[in-house]
Structures are given as C-alpha cells and as structure tokens.
Amino acid sequence: MVGKIQDIKTTYSEDELIALLREKSEAGFHHLYDHYSGALYGVILRIVQSKEYTEEIIQDVFMKIWNSIHQYDSAKGRFYTWMINIARNTAIDYLKSKSFQNELKNQSLPDFVYNNAELSTTNNSDFIGFSNVLETLESDKQELINLAYYQGFTQSEISEKLNMPLGTVKTKMRNALMKLKDLLKDYQ
C-alpha cells in the first residue's frame, strides 16, 4: 500500500488529465479542481458579482466538466477554453433562471435598499415633506414601511405581527419601495 501512495502523480499534462477524467479518476478530478478552480471562480464571479452565487455555480461547473468530459474535442480548442465556456454559460444560465430572478424579487429589505443606488441614502439629502409622500401610498404599503423603518421590525417580525407569509412580506415590501421610488422621482 505504501508503494501505491508513492506512485500517485501530483502533476499531469493536459492530455493525461483529460484521459484521467474520461476514466472517472478521483485523482484526475482533484488535480482538475486544485489547478483550475481559482481561474474558473474568477470568471464566474465577474459574471454574477456575488461570492455566494459563485460558490454554488462553481460546483455545477465542475460537475458539468466531470459529466461531459467525453464531449471535449482537442481539435476544436484548448481544454482550458472549453472549461471557461462551460463556466461562463453556466453563470449566464444561472442569472437567467427563474429561481434566481425570484430570489432577486424576494431579497431581504436591507439588501434591496443598499444594493440599489437609486434608493440609497448616501447622498445625505433629506426630503422635506416625506411623510406627505408616504401618505399617498396605499395603507398596506404605509404600514410595511412604518413597521420596517420607523419601528425597526425585521421582515420576519413583520411576517409574524401581520400573520403573513415571509415571502409575501418581502414581495409587498419590495413593491412598496418601488412605488415609493416612483413617487420620489419628482423630488430629485
């Protein structure tokens, strides 16, 4: 057994690596991950711009490489380029997926507010008559904004207080903020 451990190579040529992957070798997969994960991670991160989503997608990318290695054709291009295309396409597909789009619609209030430059309060300008603008919203939207911003309730707490599903609170809060954003356009 000791002799077997000493025989394991730590570096492989591109052709050797591809052959190992086609044989479904764990050593080949570990080598692939160790040597290419950083570069592929960077490609994905530039597209999705979120470390959390990138970590999810990188797993999918390596599974796609593992499962479709038989489709790689060296006559059509380099192995690295083929992997980058898989990473790029997977990241783009993820951004277009319904689950990702729904997650964006239902993201938590602080993420939504602070990630949206137009709703950000970093310009330190205060709106005179803001309460008048707020009063033009429907009463349910006023209540959500009041609970979240003036009373400091979290979305989970609002959900419990109003006996409403959390997803519904998030969606209604987002809609309220979008409506408020629309109303405030006249004041900018």
Side-chain angles (χ1 to χ4, degrees):
M1 191 156 160
V2 173
K4 198 171 196 178
I5 292 174
Q6 292 173 345
D7 292 340
I8 296 176
K9 288 179 72 170
T10 55
T11 58
Y12 301 99
S13 71
E14 189 173 285
D15 290 335
E16 289 173 325
L17 177 59
I18 293 166
L20 286 171
L21 292 173
R22 286 184 173 153
E23 295 168 4
K24 300 297 183 191
S25 161
E26 280 187 49
F29 184 81
H30 290 296
H31 182 80
L32 174 77
Y33 188 85
D34 291 345
H35 288 85
Y36 292 98
S37 61
L40 296 177
Y41 185 93
V43 168
I44 296 165
L45 184 60
R46 273 183 249 132
I47 295 169
V48 299
Q49 299 180 353
S50 162
K51 289 182 180 181
E52 179 184 339
Y53 299 133
T54 299
E55 289 169 7
E56 277 182 45
I57 295 168
I58 194 85
Q59 293 175 10
D60 290 342
V61 168
F62 277 99
M63 289 311 300
K64 285 182 180 182
I65 292 168
W66 178 258
N67 291 327
S68 61
I69 189 66
H70 63 279
Q71 294 176 354
Y72 170 68
D73 182 358
S74 61
K76 292 182 180 179
R78 297 204 50 199
F79 183 57
Y80 181 68
T81 306
W82 180 75
M83 289 189 301
I84 285 180
N85 283 328
I86 290 174
R88 181 183 164 279
N89 292 339
T90 303
I92 291 169
D93 289 347
Y94 186 84
L95 289 178
K96 291 180 180 178
S97 72
K98 283 188 179 186
S99 62
F100 178 77
Q101 293 299 320
N102 285 337
E103 194 171 317
L104 283 180
K105 289 178 185 174
N106 293 324
Q107 64 180 302
S108 68
L109 180 64
D111 291 343
F112 176 74
V113 172
Y114 298 121
N115 287 340
N116 190 326
E118 293 177 22
L119 290 178
S120 177
T121 58
T122 56
N123 63 5
N124 293 326
S125 63
D126 191 13
F127 293 107
I128 297 174
F130 180 74
S131 58
N132 293 338
V133 174
L134 193 58
E135 288 174 6
T136 63
L137 288 175
E138 295 86 10
S139 61
D140 63 326
K141 289 180 173 64
Q142 286 180 33
E143 181 180 28
L144 288 172
I145 290 175
N146 181 40
L147 289 170
Y149 288 99
Y150 296 112
Q151 296 182 35
F153 281 75
T154 66
Q155 290 183 340
S156 296
E157 292 168 338
I158 293 171
S159 172
E160 288 175 23
K161 181 173 178 60
L162 300 179
N163 196 23
M164 188 184 298
L166 181 59
T168 303
V169 169
K170 289 180 178 187
T171 301
K172 286 185 176 220
M173 183 65 79
R174 181 178 187 277
N175 290 339
L177 290 172
M178 295 301 286
K179 179 70 174 173
L180 190 58
K181 176 184 160 187
D182 243 14
L183 293 171
L184 291 173
K185 281 182 183 175
D186 298 333
Y187 292 91
Q188 290 181 337

